[in-house]
Amino acid sequence: MSSTIHNISIDCHDTYALAGFWSQVFDCPRHPDDFPGDPEAMLLPPGGPEVLFIAVPEGKAVKNRLHLDLEPADRSRADEVERLLGIGATLVADQVSPTGGGWVVLADPEGNEFCVLGNSAERAAAAAARAAATGTGTGEPV
């Protein structure tokens, strides 16, 4: 017997506001029973586990030990990063390599880090460019 992911929980101060940010990221609404000031808020992203936001009194103190890696479904990594910055994310680090592999580290409005990878076509092109440049096709995450 094994376990499955029922939900991903994110500790935060303002559950409704942070769920609102992530609802735009995932293009899904907040749960209809969630309201400002609630101690919990929930998203049900299509194709993924529930995302539960839980109010906690303490603030974020260090880098996340667990984070989400997002893959744009219908746009480039650069376009997705621009969209996410426009809805309230902040840039933490650009880890895109000269071959186009890598990722961009962003933070949500409460400082939780997450990464944006290239879409599948960008990752394939980066792998091909890396293989052509090195003759190996290995060594760099895409």
Side-chain angles (χ1 to χ4, degrees), residues 40-130:
E40 295 182 353
M42 177 74 73
L43 299 179
L44 303 168
E50 299 170 351
V51 182
L52 176 64
F53 300 86
I54 301 171
V56 297
E58 66 276 358
K60 183 177 175 299
V62 298
K63 181 180 181 287
N64 299 3
R65 295 291 304 263
L66 176 73
H67 67 268
L68 302 177
D69 288 340
L70 306 180
E71 178 185 343
D74 59 356
R75 61 188 58 122
S76 70
R77 174 181 42 227
D79 288 342
E80 182 66 350
V81 167
E82 183 178 331
R83 180 182 82 86
L84 297 172
L85 292 171
I87 63 171
T90 55
L91 179 65
V92 175
D94 187 338
Q95 301 294 328
V96 176
S97 73
T99 61
W103 57 91
V104 176
V105 182
L106 300 177
D108 71 18
E110 290 206 16
N112 301 301
E113 297 93 357
F114 62 97
C115 295
V116 181
L117 309 175
N119 63 32
S120 58
E122 289 172 314
R123 291 196 330 276
R130 185 178 61 252

Side-chain angles (χ1 to χ4, degrees), residues 13-16 33-41 53 55:
H13 286 288
D14 188 337
T15 61
Y16 191 79
D33 293 337
D34 294 337
F35 295 97
D38 285 351
E40 295 182 353
F53 300 86

